[in-house]
Amino acid sequence: MRGSTGRGARRAIRAALLAVVGAVLATVAGCGGTQGSPGAGGASPSGGGATGTVTVFAAASLTESFQKIAQDFQAAHPGVQVKFNFGASSALAQQIVQGAPADVFAAASAATMKQVTDAQAAAGAPRVFARNTLQIAVPKGNPGKVASLADLAKPGLKVALCAPQVPCGAAAGKALEAAGVKVTPATLEQDVKATLTKVRLGEVDAALVYRTDVKAAGGAVEGIDFPEAAKAVNDYPIVVLAKAPNAPAAKAFVDYVLSDRARAVLAEAGFQTP
Amino acid sequence: MVRGTGRRPAPAPARRARGPRVPAVLLVPAVLGLAFLVLPLAGLLLRAPWGSLPERLQGPQILEALRLSVLTATLATAVSLLLGVPLAWLLARVPFPGRRLVRALVTLPLVLPPVVGGVALLLVLGRRGLIGQWLYAAFGISLPFTTAGVVVAEAFVAMPFLVISVEGALRAADPRFEEAAATLGASRWTAFRRITLPLIAPGVAAGAVLCWARALGEFGATITFAGNFPGRTQTMPLAVYLALETDPDTATVLSLVLLAVSILILVSLRDRWVNST
């Protein structure tokens, strides 16, 4: 190493190291900050005075309707920002049990909500705000000529189901059992959106997904009703979490999801509302 | 801004890399970095349900996923060897226009998010894909949701490791041996087979092991392109992901198995090949 370049390089390295250490410390401090500041939304529990960020963990099937509801909610509660983590309810439930800093959990089935309540991670009893039923989704034009649930067992027909570990898979299993249909799926996808994607791409001839997801896909896929869907209705419970960093805003959001305006949005998305 | 106020440049002897004293400004972040990389793995070991480990390991789904993982990773490595070694040879030995671009393209899957690779594979080789629809119409072959699809996804992600490794070995090997063989009448293929391959064998072996390990851990491209079905396309990483949804303890056990295999591979790799090349 030569004198001046060596010194310059050393200074650059030192600066870079300090920057890295600074960034690490800032991140650590930041993490501590979010977890250690309960009630960032102020003291008013009425919801009207809620402020700050509310973090909502919600089932993937709620993506479109919750985004719309959040927009309305934020318009009604200036100063509150809703952040979402959408995914398979079962995965979200595990993240919450493991201590993810979430305020609200909206699950796609009572069974996944039970994982959270059993772990004493919920504040109060969950409330059901929507119900969803299954539909057969087929690619545009229905190349596999699927007309009923029994058709899914046709040899050569490629079917995608949700994995039995996630709520849409559990519901699909229930519906198939009720119909006495034995399906050998080509794949068991990790959530309902991934399952629907395989239909959109035309990689499978049919999939069992929620009616709301077929609707949200617009004209990209076709939905076929089947009577056995009535045997596999999924309840969607919502709850404020025990360790919610922003409990007032969380409560306000849950109240809003149970309100008539949110109901209308959910109904329009294809949910039944209790 | 960082200014060097009040600090004098370190005295000359300290500039040597192997000085006995390690400056704190390096040591502290180095230890932090080490902790950051090792602590999560240590956590895995601490939280593992050691008591129920044996029976959990014998679950049918685990054995099935492990068997499938080993099989597909091995096949993906075989595919990579067949295609990757000649490709590496081309990149190292034959000057052609656009070689730098080709080299960049070959290493692209290293930095590409595997999910993106899976999407790309789906759009090209899927049943409605650019090539896939033709394959399907002509031969009735459709790769998604098959074990062959898993091999394709894994090879796509893992082959660059082999190519890089072999290309490096080729560049380090002296081409004059091949030239000498050629002047003695050997064909290029004979020279490659009898001279070049033995010369670069350690590099090929190291590349193959890395490739195998990467294929074994492949997740994103596999779940996107090949789907997830126990016994057919559900490899260990997919099983870990789904197990985490309902049964974190099983997910921990599965992760331990993958961790053990990976460590075993990397340790043996370092001792046998990395130092000697």
Side-chain angles (χ1 to χ4, degrees), chain A residues 10-31:
Chain A
R10 273 208 316 281
R11 193 169 291 170
I13 290 171
R14 195 189 298 159
L17 284 174
L18 283 175
V20 168
V21 172
V24 168
L25 290 178
T27 316
V28 170
C31 293

PDB file of all heavy atoms in Angstrom, chain A residues 10-31:
ATOM      1  N   ARG A  10      -7.967   3.832   4.042  1.00  0.00           N
ATOM      2  CA  ARG A  10      -8.256   3.529   5.443  1.00  0.00           C
ATOM      3  C   ARG A  10      -9.385   4.405   5.962  1.00  0.00           C
ATOM      4  O   ARG A  10     -10.269   3.953   6.680  1.00  0.00           O
ATOM      5  CB  ARG A  10      -7.014   3.737   6.286  1.00  0.00           C
ATOM      6  CG  ARG A  10      -6.134   2.520   6.356  1.00  0.00           C
ATOM      7  CD  ARG A  10      -5.353   2.488   7.650  1.00  0.00           C
ATOM      8  NE  ARG A  10      -4.765   3.766   8.016  1.00  0.00           N
ATOM      9  CZ  ARG A  10      -3.640   4.240   7.474  1.00  0.00           C
ATOM     10  NH1 ARG A  10      -3.017   3.565   6.555  1.00  0.00           N
ATOM     11  NH2 ARG A  10      -3.158   5.388   7.872  1.00  0.00           N
ATOM     12  N   ARG A  11      -9.310   5.701   5.548  1.00  0.00           N
ATOM     13  CA  ARG A  11     -10.354   6.603   6.015  1.00  0.00           C
ATOM     14  C   ARG A  11     -11.712   6.153   5.476  1.00  0.00           C
ATOM     15  O   ARG A  11     -12.709   6.151   6.192  1.00  0.00           O
ATOM     16  CB  ARG A  11     -10.028   8.033   5.552  1.00  0.00           C
ATOM     17  CG  ARG A  11     -10.881   9.037   6.240  1.00  0.00           C
ATOM     18  CD  ARG A  11     -10.381  10.437   5.984  1.00  0.00           C
ATOM     19  NE  ARG A  11      -9.105  10.703   6.635  1.00  0.00           N
ATOM     20  CZ  ARG A  11      -8.383  11.801   6.380  1.00  0.00           C
ATOM     21  NH1 ARG A  11      -8.787  12.663   5.488  1.00  0.00           N
ATOM     22  NH2 ARG A  11      -7.252  12.002   7.001  1.00  0.00           N
ATOM     23  N   ALA A  12     -11.707   5.737   4.203  1.00  0.00           N
ATOM     24  CA  ALA A  12     -12.957   5.288   3.598  1.00  0.00           C
ATOM     25  C   ALA A  12     -13.499   4.062   4.323  1.00  0.00           C
ATOM     26  O   ALA A  12     -14.686   3.957   4.631  1.00  0.00           O
ATOM     27  CB  ALA A  12     -12.738   4.955   2.125  1.00  0.00           C
ATOM     28  N   ILE A  13     -12.565   3.140   4.657  1.00  0.00           N
ATOM     29  CA  ILE A  13     -12.985   1.925   5.355  1.00  0.00           C
ATOM     30  C   ILE A  13     -13.567   2.274   6.715  1.00  0.00           C
ATOM     31  O   ILE A  13     -14.613   1.774   7.123  1.00  0.00           O
ATOM     32  CB  ILE A  13     -11.801   0.948   5.498  1.00  0.00           C
ATOM     33  CG1 ILE A  13     -11.448   0.373   4.133  1.00  0.00           C
ATOM     34  CG2 ILE A  13     -12.121  -0.159   6.483  1.00  0.00           C
ATOM     35  CD1 ILE A  13     -10.180  -0.428   4.112  1.00  0.00           C
ATOM     36  N   ARG A  14     -12.849   3.213   7.397  1.00  0.00           N
ATOM     37  CA  ARG A  14     -13.317   3.579   8.731  1.00  0.00           C
ATOM     38  C   ARG A  14     -14.717   4.188   8.651  1.00  0.00           C
ATOM     39  O   ARG A  14     -15.609   3.871   9.438  1.00  0.00           O
ATOM     40  CB  ARG A  14     -12.335   4.555   9.384  1.00  0.00           C
ATOM     41  CG  ARG A  14     -12.570   4.689  10.868  1.00  0.00           C
ATOM     42  CD  ARG A  14     -11.748   5.801  11.452  1.00  0.00           C
ATOM     43  NE  ARG A  14     -10.306   5.574  11.305  1.00  0.00           N
ATOM     44  CZ  ARG A  14      -9.420   6.572  11.365  1.00  0.00           C
ATOM     45  NH1 ARG A  14      -9.796   7.811  11.549  1.00  0.00           N
ATOM     46  NH2 ARG A  14      -8.142   6.303  11.241  1.00  0.00           N
ATOM     47  N   ALA A  15     -14.882   5.074   7.652  1.00  0.00           N
ATOM     48  CA  ALA A  15     -16.192   5.706   7.483  1.00  0.00           C
ATOM     49  C   ALA A  15     -17.266   4.656   7.201  1.00  0.00           C
ATOM     50  O   ALA A  15     -18.356   4.700   7.773  1.00  0.00           O
ATOM     51  CB  ALA A  15     -16.140   6.727   6.343  1.00  0.00           C
ATOM     52  N   ALA A  16     -16.892   3.700   6.353  1.00  0.00           N
ATOM     53  CA  ALA A  16     -17.866   2.670   6.003  1.00  0.00           C
ATOM     54  C   ALA A  16     -18.235   1.844   7.225  1.00  0.00           C
ATOM     55  O   ALA A  16     -19.412   1.555   7.473  1.00  0.00           O
ATOM     56  CB  ALA A  16     -17.297   1.759   4.920  1.00  0.00           C
ATOM     57  N   LEU A  17     -17.216   1.496   8.033  1.00  0.00           N
ATOM     58  CA  LEU A  17     -17.474   0.692   9.222  1.00  0.00           C
ATOM     59  C   LEU A  17     -18.376   1.444  10.192  1.00  0.00           C
ATOM     60  O   LEU A  17     -19.318   0.899  10.751  1.00  0.00           O
ATOM     61  CB  LEU A  17     -16.152   0.325   9.913  1.00  0.00           C
ATOM     62  CG  LEU A  17     -15.360  -0.777   9.227  1.00  0.00           C
ATOM     63  CD1 LEU A  17     -14.020  -0.967   9.900  1.00  0.00           C
ATOM     64  CD2 LEU A  17     -16.155  -2.079   9.268  1.00  0.00           C
ATOM     65  N   LEU A  18     -18.045   2.739  10.376  1.00  0.00           N
ATOM     66  CA  LEU A  18     -18.871   3.531  11.286  1.00  0.00           C
ATOM     67  C   LEU A  18     -20.315   3.579  10.782  1.00  0.00           C
ATOM     68  O   LEU A  18     -21.254   3.489  11.569  1.00  0.00           O
ATOM     69  CB  LEU A  18     -18.305   4.950  11.412  1.00  0.00           C
ATOM     70  CG  LEU A  18     -17.075   5.048  12.321  1.00  0.00           C
ATOM     71  CD1 LEU A  18     -16.497   6.444  12.289  1.00  0.00           C
ATOM     72  CD2 LEU A  18     -17.446   4.655  13.749  1.00  0.00           C
ATOM     73  N   ALA A  19     -20.445   3.702   9.462  1.00  0.00           N
ATOM     74  CA  ALA A  19     -21.790   3.748   8.892  1.00  0.00           C
ATOM     75  C   ALA A  19     -22.530   2.452   9.171  1.00  0.00           C
ATOM     76  O   ALA A  19     -23.703   2.452   9.565  1.00  0.00           O
ATOM     77  CB  ALA A  19     -21.713   3.996   7.392  1.00  0.00           C
ATOM     78  N   VAL A  20     -21.797   1.314   9.011  1.00  0.00           N
ATOM     79  CA  VAL A  20     -22.432   0.018   9.236  1.00  0.00           C
ATOM     80  C   VAL A  20     -22.853  -0.113  10.700  1.00  0.00           C
ATOM     81  O   VAL A  20     -23.994  -0.453  11.022  1.00  0.00           O
ATOM     82  CB  VAL A  20     -21.467  -1.132   8.854  1.00  0.00           C
ATOM     83  CG1 VAL A  20     -22.002  -2.461   9.360  1.00  0.00           C
ATOM     84  CG2 VAL A  20     -21.283  -1.169   7.349  1.00  0.00           C
ATOM     85  N   VAL A  21     -21.903   0.218  11.603  1.00  0.00           N
ATOM     86  CA  VAL A  21     -22.223   0.106  13.026  1.00  0.00           C
ATOM     87  C   VAL A  21     -23.392   1.023  13.367  1.00  0.00           C
ATOM     88  O   VAL A  21     -24.336   0.635  14.072  1.00  0.00           O
ATOM     89  CB  VAL A  21     -20.986   0.469  13.877  1.00  0.00           C
ATOM     90  CG1 VAL A  21     -21.363   0.559  15.347  1.00  0.00           C
ATOM     91  CG2 VAL A  21     -19.897  -0.562  13.680  1.00  0.00           C
ATOM     92  N   GLY A  22     -23.368   2.225  12.811  1.00  0.00           N
ATOM     93  CA  GLY A  22     -24.457   3.171  13.041  1.00  0.00           C
ATOM     94  C   GLY A  22     -25.785   2.597  12.577  1.00  0.00           C
ATOM     95  O   GLY A  22     -26.789   2.668  13.293  1.00  0.00           O
ATOM     96  N   ALA A  23     -25.753   2.002  11.392  1.00  0.00           N
ATOM     97  CA  ALA A  23     -26.991   1.456  10.845  1.00  0.00           C
ATOM     98  C   ALA A  23     -27.510   0.327  11.715  1.00  0.00           C
ATOM     99  O   ALA A  23     -28.706   0.243  12.007  1.00  0.00           O
ATOM    100  CB  ALA A  23     -26.754   0.952   9.420  1.00  0.00           C
ATOM    101  N   VAL A  24     -26.563  -0.551  12.172  1.00  0.00           N
ATOM    102  CA  VAL A  24     -26.979  -1.675  13.029  1.00  0.00           C
ATOM    103  C   VAL A  24     -27.613  -1.141  14.306  1.00  0.00           C
ATOM    104  O   VAL A  24     -28.696  -1.564  14.715  1.00  0.00           O
ATOM    105  CB  VAL A  24     -25.763  -2.572  13.362  1.00  0.00           C
ATOM    106  CG1 VAL A  24     -26.109  -3.543  14.469  1.00  0.00           C
ATOM    107  CG2 VAL A  24     -25.308  -3.314  12.117  1.00  0.00           C
ATOM    108  N   LEU A  25     -26.926  -0.144  14.924  1.00  0.00           N
ATOM    109  CA  LEU A  25     -27.453   0.406  16.174  1.00  0.00           C
ATOM    110  C   LEU A  25     -28.819   1.044  15.948  1.00  0.00           C
ATOM    111  O   LEU A  25     -29.742   0.863  16.735  1.00  0.00           O
ATOM    112  CB  LEU A  25     -26.479   1.443  16.741  1.00  0.00           C
ATOM    113  CG  LEU A  25     -25.174   0.844  17.291  1.00  0.00           C
ATOM    114  CD1 LEU A  25     -24.251   1.937  17.790  1.00  0.00           C
ATOM    115  CD2 LEU A  25     -25.468  -0.157  18.401  1.00  0.00           C
ATOM    116  N   ALA A  26     -28.941   1.767  14.827  1.00  0.00           N
ATOM    117  CA  ALA A  26     -30.212   2.431  14.535  1.00  0.00           C
ATOM    118  C   ALA A  26     -31.326   1.403  14.370  1.00  0.00           C
ATOM    119  O   ALA A  26     -32.427   1.572  14.884  1.00  0.00           O
ATOM    120  CB  ALA A  26     -30.085   3.270  13.265  1.00  0.00           C
ATOM    121  N   THR A  27     -30.988   0.297  13.698  1.00  0.00           N
ATOM    122  CA  THR A  27     -31.989  -0.747  13.494  1.00  0.00           C
ATOM    123  C   THR A  27     -32.400  -1.348  14.821  1.00  0.00           C
ATOM    124  O   THR A  27     -33.586  -1.501  15.120  1.00  0.00           O
ATOM    125  CB  THR A  27     -31.419  -1.863  12.592  1.00  0.00           C
ATOM    126  OG1 THR A  27     -30.730  -1.244  11.514  1.00  0.00           O
ATOM    127  CG2 THR A  27     -32.510  -2.749  12.072  1.00  0.00           C
ATOM    128  N   VAL A  28     -31.385  -1.675  15.633  1.00  0.00           N
ATOM    129  CA  VAL A  28     -31.671  -2.274  16.938  1.00  0.00           C
ATOM    130  C   VAL A  28     -32.541  -1.327  17.751  1.00  0.00           C
ATOM    131  O   VAL A  28     -33.566  -1.710  18.324  1.00  0.00           O
ATOM    132  CB  VAL A  28     -30.354  -2.590  17.684  1.00  0.00           C
ATOM    133  CG1 VAL A  28     -30.639  -2.980  19.115  1.00  0.00           C
ATOM    134  CG2 VAL A  28     -29.617  -3.705  16.961  1.00  0.00           C
ATOM    135  N   ALA A  29     -32.129  -0.030  17.779  1.00  0.00           N
ATOM    136  CA  ALA A  29     -32.889   0.952  18.538  1.00  0.00           C
ATOM    137  C   ALA A  29     -34.305   1.056  17.989  1.00  0.00           C
ATOM    138  O   ALA A  29     -35.278   1.132  18.731  1.00  0.00           O
ATOM    139  CB  ALA A  29     -32.191   2.306  18.473  1.00  0.00           C
ATOM    140  N   GLY A  30     -34.402   1.029  16.670  1.00  0.00           N
ATOM    141  CA  GLY A  30     -35.708   1.143  16.024  1.00  0.00           C
ATOM    142  C   GLY A  30     -36.626   0.003  16.410  1.00  0.00           C
ATOM    143  O   GLY A  30     -37.780   0.216  16.766  1.00  0.00           O
ATOM    144  N   CYS A  31     -36.066  -1.214  16.387  1.00  0.00           N
ATOM    145  CA  CYS A  31     -36.868  -2.377  16.750  1.00  0.00           C
ATOM    146  C   CYS A  31     -37.356  -2.241  18.171  1.00  0.00           C
ATOM    147  O   CYS A  31     -38.526  -2.435  18.473  1.00  0.00           O
ATOM    148  CB  CYS A  31     -36.044  -3.665  16.622  1.00  0.00           C
ATOM    149  SG  CYS A  31     -35.614  -4.045  14.936  1.00  0.00           S
TER     150      CYS A  31
END
